[in-house]
Amino acid sequence: MADTSAATARARVSASRAGEKSRTSWLTTQLEDERVLGYVLLVPAFLLIIVFIAYPFALGVWMALTDKVVGQPGSFVGLANFAKLLDSDIFRTAAWNTVFFTVVATAIKAALGMWLAVLLNRKFRLSRVTRAAVLLPFIVPTVLSTLVWLWMLDGTFSVFNWILRWLWDLELSVFGLVVKEDFGYIRGPNWLGDPAWAMGSIIMANVWRGLPFFAISFLAALQTVPTELYDAAEIDGASGWRKFWNVTLPMIKPVAIVVVVFSFVVTFADFQLVYVLTRGGPYNSTHLLATLAYQISMHAGNLGEGAATALFMVPLLFVVIVLQLTYLRRIGVD
Amino acid sequence: MSTSAFVGETYRKRLIVFYIPLFLFVFAMLFPFFWMLITSIKTDAELYNRRVSPFLVRDPTFEHWRMLFQDTLFLQWVWNTLWVAVVSTGISLFAGVLGGYALARLTFRGSTVFSIWIFITYLVPPALLFIPLTGVMSFFGLMDSRASLMFAYPTFLVPFCIWLLIGYFQTIPKELEECARIDGATRVQAMVKIVLPLAVPGILSAGIFAFTLSWNEFLYALVFLSSPENKTVPVGVTGELILGDVFFWGPLMAGALFGSVPVAIVYSFFVEHYVSGMTGAVKG
C-alpha cells in the first residue's frame, strides 16, 4: 500500500517535471519569434499607457461634455462647458496669457540659451565646473526654486527693490538730481501684485529655470559642428557674426528645432510657476490654462468645466506639434 | 610695443565679449541659490528689517533649520519623495527597457505605429490628465497614498525612457547579438546577457532623468495627496509651511534648500551621464 502511494507520488513528480520542461521550451520557442517577443516586451508599457493615459484622456473628454461636480455623477450637457468658457473673460485672458507666455518665454530662452551655449563652447579654465553650475536651476525642483523667486519678488522685502532703492539713495547723495519726488518705480515695482508686472515676473522666473536646458542642448549641438567649416569660412574672410549666421545656425538648426518644440510644449502646460507666484492673480490676470483648470476643478469643484478647460490645450498643442514636425520634414528633405 | 598693444586689445575684447557676459550668466543662475541659503540662516528680526542690507548676515542662526527638521514633517516628506521616486523609476525602467528594446530591435506589425504613439504620449502634459486621473485613482482606492504617484509618474516617465533608450539600443551593433545567437543563445538570452549589459550607461541616464523628474513633480502630488504625512517634498514645503497668508520665509527657504540638495547630489555624481543623456534625448 505504502509502496504504491510512494510510486504514484514519484510518478506525479516526474510527470509534473516533464510538463514544466515542455512548457518552458514551448515558451522559449514562442519567444524566438520576433513578432511574439515584440508584443510580449511591450505589454508593461502598453498596459500603463492604456490604464493611466489613454483611458483618462477618454474619460476627460467625456467629463468635459457633462456638468459633473465633485461627489456627484454628472449628466450630459453637450458642448455647454466649452461655450460657457469661450464666453468668459477669465478664460479668454487665460488662453491669451498661455500663448503670450509660451511664445515670449520660449523666444527669450532660445536667444539667451544660444548666447550662453556659444560662450560655454569656448575653451577656458573651470569650463566643466561652469557647465555643471549653469545647469543647476534646471535640476532642482521647480516649485522649490520658484519659492525663492516668490521671496525675491516679495511686495515688501524684494531684494531687487532694495537694490533699486539703494541706487536711488546713491543717486540722491552723489548727484542730488531729483527727477521727480515720488517717481513710483524707483521705489520698485510691485512685481507680483501689479497686473502690468506680474506676467513679466513669471516669464523672468521661467526663463531662469529653462535657460540651462537650451544652453546645454545647444552646446551639445555646437560641438558636433566640424571645425573645418569654420576654417573654410575664415579663409573666405567671414567675420564672427557671419560665421555664426551662415555656418553655426544652419548646422544646428535640426537640434534647435527639436529643443524649441520640446520646451514649447513644456512651457505651454506650465502649472507650478503661476501656482506658486500668483495663483492666477491679481484679478485673474496671470492665469494659464493649466492653473485655471485647477482652480475650476479643484477649488470650485466643477470637474466637467475644468476638464473642458484642460482640453483647450489639445488643439493648440496639436497645431504646434504638426507645424514643427512638417517643418522638420521639410528641412530634412532639403 | 605694437605686439603688447595688440595683446591688450584682444584681452579687453575677450573681457567684454566673453568673461563679463559669462560671469553675468553664472551669477544670475546661481544667485537664487545663494539667496535661499542666506535667507535660511538669518534671524527673523533681520529678515524683516528693510533698513539693513539684505546681503549681509549679522547674526547667523540655524534656528530655521532646526524648525524645519524638528517641528515639521520634512524628513517624512523626504522619505516619501525618495520612496516614490525609486519605485516609479524602477517601474519606468522595467517597462522602458523592454519596450525600448522591442521598438529598436524587433520587427513586428504595428511597431512603427506604437513608436509614434509613444512620441505623442511623451508630449501629453500632466495638466491635461490630472482631472480624470483623479477619478481613476479613486476607483483603484489610491487617493491620498504614495502608491497613486508610483503609478501616475510612469505615465510621463515610460514614454520618456522608451524614447531615450530606443536611441541608445540603436547604437549597439546588431552583430554582437547575432554572434551570440549563432553560439546557441536564445533571443531572450542574447537580449539579457549581451545587449542589456552594454546598454547600462543609457539605462543609467534614463534612470537619473526619471529619478529627478519624479523628485520634482508637483501637480499630481498636489492633487492626489491630502494628509500632511503622505506628502512629497515639493507639496509639503509649499503646502504646510505657508499657513493662509503667513509665509515663514526662514523655514521655507531652508526647505527649498534641503529639498534641492538630494537631487543636486545625485546630479553631481552623474553630471557627465546627465549631460550626455540630455543630448541623447535631444538627438533621438
Side-chain angles (χ1 to χ4, degrees), chain A residues 135-159:
Chain A
L135 201 48
L136 213 51
F138 188 67
I139 307 301
V140 303
T142 310
V143 159
L144 302 182
S145 62
T146 307
L147 280 172
V148 75
W149 280 96
L150 184 63
W151 171 229
M152 292 194 300
L153 298 171
D154 187 86
T156 317
F157 301 104
S158 166
V159 56

Side-chain angles (χ1 to χ4, degrees), chain A residues 12 162 191 210:
Chain A
R12 216 179 284 139
W162 191 90
W191 297 98

Side-chain angles (χ1 to χ4, degrees), chain A residues 165-181:
Chain A
R165 277 198 307 275
W166 181 79
L167 287 173
W168 179 240
D169 289 344
L170 191 74
E171 191 279 329
L172 282 182
S173 57
V174 176
F175 301 105
L177 296 172
V178 180
V179 182
K180 208 172 173 188
E181 192 53 51

Side-chain angles (χ1 to χ4, degrees), chain A residues 49 53 57 213 257-270 310-311 313-326 328, chain B residues 114-129 153-164 213 220 281-282 284:
Chain A
I49 285 172
I53 300 181
F57 183 77
F213 173 69
I257 288 167
V258 175
V259 173
V260 169
V261 177
F262 183 72
S263 166
F264 208 91
V265 172
V266 173
T267 312
F268 186 81
D270 197 77
L311 275 181
M313 283 186 237
V314 173
L316 288 161
L317 274 178
F318 187 74
V319 167
V320 169
I321 293 167
V322 167
L323 270 181
Q324 302 278 3
L325 286 181
T326 39
L328 255 190
Chain B
F114 203 84
S115 302
I116 293 170
W117 275 106
I118 292 281
F119 184 65
I120 293 172
T121 51
Y122 177 35
L123 295 175
V124 170
L128 190 58
L129 292 180
Y153 290 175
T155 58
F156 54 85
L157 298 179
V158 169
F160 172 79
C161 288
I162 290 185
W163 204 246
L164 198 146
L213 285 174
Y220 287 154
V282 167

Side-chain angles (χ1 to χ4, degrees), chain A residues 8-157:
Chain A
T8 40
R10 214 173 297 134
R12 216 179 284 139
V13 167
S14 65
S16 85
R17 270 207 198 117
E20 218 167 73
K21 205 173 198 175
S22 74
R23 208 161 48 235
T24 329
S25 62
W26 176 81
L27 194 66
T28 323
T29 9
Q30 285 296 306
L31 290 182
E32 280 303 289
D33 188 344
E34 284 194 25
R35 286 165 298 180
V36 177
L37 183 62
Y39 293 128
V40 170
L41 292 182
L42 278 170
V43 164
F46 188 73
L47 278 180
L48 263 165
I49 285 172
I50 291 294
V51 178
F52 294 105
I53 300 181
Y55 172 69
F57 183 77
L59 185 64
V61 173
W62 166 249
M63 280 166 89
L65 300 172
T66 67
D67 57 0
K68 183 166 171 53
V69 291
V70 171
Q72 283 165 33
S75 52
F76 185 78
V77 294
L79 297 174
N81 286 325
F82 296 95
K84 185 184 167 198
L85 284 169
L86 285 173
D87 223 25
S88 113
D89 282 337
I90 294 178
F91 172 79
R92 278 185 291 196
T93 312
W96 165 247
N97 282 345
T98 308
V99 174
F100 178 80
F101 166 74
T102 312
V103 171
V104 173
T106 310
I108 298 176
K109 281 185 284 190
L112 290 179
M114 185 65 80
W115 188 10
L116 182 53
V118 170
L119 294 176
L120 289 174
N121 198 28
R122 292 215 193 177
K123 285 193 178 67
F124 57 100
R125 274 192 296 164
L126 299 176
S127 60
R128 285 160 69 105
V129 179
T130 313
R131 281 174 202 175
V134 158
L135 201 48
L136 213 51
F138 188 67
I139 307 301
V140 303
T142 310
V143 159
L144 302 182
S145 62
T146 307
L147 280 172
V148 75
W149 280 96
L150 184 63
W151 171 229
M152 292 194 300
L153 298 171
D154 187 86
T156 317
F157 301 104

Side-chain angles (χ1 to χ4, degrees), chain A residues 243-317:
Chain A
K243 273 191 280 181
F244 178 76
W245 279 110
N246 296 337
V247 178
T248 313
L249 221 48
M251 285 301 287
I252 68 169
K253 211 168 170 184
V255 173
I257 288 167
V258 175
V259 173
V260 169
V261 177
F262 183 72
S263 166
F264 208 91
V265 172
V266 173
T267 312
F268 186 81
D270 197 77
F271 171 82
Q272 327 189 17
L273 263 179
V274 171
Y275 179 81
V276 172
L277 287 180
T278 64
R279 306 244 162 164
Y283 321 113
N284 294 315
S285 65
T286 57
H287 264 306
L288 303 178
L289 287 176
T291 51
L292 187 63
Y294 178 82
Q295 179 168 304
I296 292 174
S297 59
M298 298 295 144
H299 282 186
N302 297 320
L303 294 178
E305 204 186 325
T309 312
L311 275 181
F312 269 103
M313 283 186 237
V314 173
L316 288 161
L317 274 178

Side-chain angles (χ1 to χ4, degrees), chain B residues 27-98:
Chain B
F27 180 80
M29 291 288 121
L30 296 185
F31 181 77
F33 297 106
F34 166 72
W35 211 241
M36 270 181 203
L37 175 69
I38 208 174
T39 304
S40 73
I41 58 171
K42 280 188 203 172
T43 57
D44 275 342
E46 211 173 307
L47 220 44
Y48 304 118
N49 181 351
R50 296 208 301 163
R51 305 222 160 267
V52 298
S53 164
F55 290 92
L56 304 173
V57 185
R58 271 161 210 77
D59 189 15
T61 169
F62 293 108
E63 173 59 20
H64 299 309
W65 293 18
R66 190 201 61 72
M67 246 182 92
L68 179 74
F69 285 106
Q70 287 185 356
D71 303 349
T72 73
L73 291 166
F74 185 74
L75 286 174
Q76 174 70 34
W77 301 332
V78 170
W79 173 245
N80 292 341
T81 320
L82 194 67
W83 188 222
V84 166
V86 167
V87 173
S88 49
T89 302
I91 294 176
S92 309
L93 280 182
F94 177 71
V97 166
L98 299 185

